[in-house]
Amino acid sequence: MIKIDEKKGIFILYTKHTAMILQNLAGFIGMAYYGEKIKIAESEYFCRTDVRPYTPEELPGEEVSFHSIYPHVYPFYGCGNYRETAFRAEQENGSDTCCLKYIGCSIMKEKPKLPGLPQSFTKNCNTETLILYLHDETAGVLAEIMYTLFQDSDVIAQSVRIQNQGENPVMLKRVLSSCLYLEGDLELITLNGTWARERYVQRERINYGVKQIGSINGASSHTHNPFIAAVRPETTETQGEACGMA
């Protein structure tokens, strides 16, 4: 189920047991909450709608400070965000900074198809999709951020489509399909291995820094399975809080 309060700038995505809350703050969409299902009335607490916005419009001299801490759902390169970004594009003049701002949204019942790409299927599934439209005015780039809810389970499929609506060519240097913010003490589970020893479970604490799981073989293979799970230290194979991505 998808609930939208445009006046307060809140988007709530409900699956069977979880909730994801997105917030529109001065045109920037951020992730305010993702976790156990909560009531709609509680969503405003996470969005801090009663606090004066700490935004570039309110405090023009603090743009870098805002972008460096705001949990953008699709973080972009430049504008003061010095964390890992999901999107980076180079314009014809050599500039690779951008500023993706919210211009609208839509809801559809089915899951958008991704021609030529691996994807999940929704046959006989109860699904609903929220599409957020983020636009960079200078480059003319439109990013469509799509969240498909499989409402009979706790699965959210996220994908991204980039369109060049400007007059000049744009070179895409980085386009990731999702960005997720999790808080608290967490451990990372990955599935690594080799022939006859596939999917060996590796579990370690998530610390500061960058952790990459991937393969340069041209295919994922059994060496580094394209799967991760962020779990609480007390989580076991049968119970506990876990968030998996594949």
Side-chain angles (χ1 to χ4, degrees), residues 208-229:
Y208 288 103
V210 177
K211 177 73 174 182
Q212 291 183 318
I213 305 298
S215 172
I216 58 174
N217 295 333
S220 58
S221 75
H222 50 261
T223 306
H224 295 292
N225 193 282
F227 164 84
I228 63 171

Side-chain angles (χ1 to χ4, degrees), residues 75-76 81-87 174 176 179 181 209-210 212:
F76 44 85
N81 184 3
Y82 298 115
R83 296 168 293 180
E84 289 289 323
T85 57
F87 180 76
R174 190 176 201 190
L176 303 184
C179 178
Y181 297 87
V210 177
Q212 291 183 318

Side-chain angles (χ1 to χ4, degrees), residues 75-96:
F76 44 85
Y77 183 81
C79 295
N81 184 3
Y82 298 115
R83 296 168 293 180
E84 289 289 323
T85 57
F87 180 76
R88 184 175 181 179
E90 183 177 310
Q91 301 174 48
E92 194 175 32
N93 61 6
S95 173
D96 56 358

Side-chain angles (χ1 to χ4, degrees), residues 33-126:
Y33 173 85
Y34 177 61
E36 186 178 355
K37 202 168 190 176
I38 61 174
K39 297 178 181 179
I40 294 178
E42 297 174 315
S43 63
E44 294 185 30
Y45 168 79
F46 295 97
C47 293
R48 304 295 300 275
T49 55
D50 58 333
V51 178
R52 182 186 178 193
Y54 188 57
T55 66
E57 283 78 3
E58 291 285 335
L59 300 170
E62 297 294 336
E63 184 170 351
V64 171
S65 299
F66 171 78
H67 288 296
S68 66
I69 62 174
Y70 189 64
H72 291 277
V73 295
Y74 202 62
F76 44 85
Y77 183 81
C79 295
N81 184 3
Y82 298 115
R83 296 168 293 180
E84 289 289 323
T85 57
F87 180 76
R88 184 175 181 179
E90 183 177 310
Q91 301 174 48
E92 194 175 32
N93 61 6
S95 173
D96 56 358
T97 62
C98 67
C99 186
L100 295 174
K101 300 195 73 172
Y102 174 78
I103 59 172
C105 70
S106 62
I107 296 177
M108 57 190 302
K109 287 297 181 182
E110 64 273 10
K111 180 179 181 295
K113 291 182 173 24
L114 305 174
L117 295 175
Q119 57 192 293
S120 53
F121 299 96
T122 59
K123 186 178 180 179
N124 300 324
C125 294
N126 181 17

Side-chain angles (χ1 to χ4, degrees), residues 5 83 90 155 167 196:
D5 188 331
R83 296 168 293 180
E90 183 177 310
V155 175
E167 298 180 355

